[in-house]
């Protein structure tokens, strides 16, 4: 959790709206599997904030867009969707 910009947030993560994305392959409704970053959290262990700030070239994902992973149960297609953050 970053408190750097508390006034903006992802409307989907905050429950204001759902993702209504149709699968480009079969046209079925895709399912939101949550934040991409949460999936990454399983992959890379937590590091101290100061350490992250010092790391040059660390991907800056805090660009007011929230990456969500979408998955189609019908055909198994998955893709990333960037959700623009809004003022909360
Ligand atoms: Zn989100
Ligand atoms: Zn599909």
């Amino acid at each position: 959790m970053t408190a750097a910009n508390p006034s903006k947030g992802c409307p989907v993560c905050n429950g204001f709206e759902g993702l209504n994305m149709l699968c480009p392959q079969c046209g079925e409704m895709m399912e939101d599997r949550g934040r991409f970053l949460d999936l990454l959290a399983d992959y890379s262990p937590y590091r101290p904030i100061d350490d992250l700030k010092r790391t040059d070239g660390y991907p800056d994902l805090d660009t007011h867009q929230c990456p969500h992973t979408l998955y189609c149960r019908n055909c198994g297609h998955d893709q990333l969707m960037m959700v623009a953050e809004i003022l909360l």
Side-chain angles (χ1 to χ4, degrees), residues 65-84:
Q65 291 207 313
C66 180
H68 280 253
T69 47
L70 292 167
Y71 175 72
C72 174
R73 288 189 183 197
N74 192 45
C75 73
H77 178 72
D78 60 62
Q79 70 177 70
L80 201 61
M81 180 183 178
M82 302 300 288
V83 178

Side-chain angles (χ1 to χ4, degrees), residues 29-57:
M29 188 70 80
M30 297 186 81
E31 154 184 307
D32 180 12
R33 304 193 88 183
R35 293 191 65 176
F36 182 61
L37 289 183
D38 289 342
L39 298 180
L40 278 186
D42 290 339
Y43 191 66
S44 55
Y46 275 136
R47 296 156 72 189
I49 298 291
D50 286 346
D51 186 34
L52 286 180
K53 282 180 182 166
R54 274 198 302 268
T55 307
D56 242 2

Side-chain angles (χ1 to χ4, degrees), residues 1 8-19 32-38 65-69 83-86 88:
M1 280 300 215
K8 292 194 101 184
C10 169
V12 179
C13 287
N14 286 277
F16 294 141
E17 57 185 69
L19 285 177
D32 180 12
R33 304 193 88 183
R35 293 191 65 176
F36 182 61
L37 289 183
D38 289 342
Q65 291 207 313
C66 180
H68 280 253
T69 47
V83 178
E85 294 188 347
I86 59 168
L88 296 177

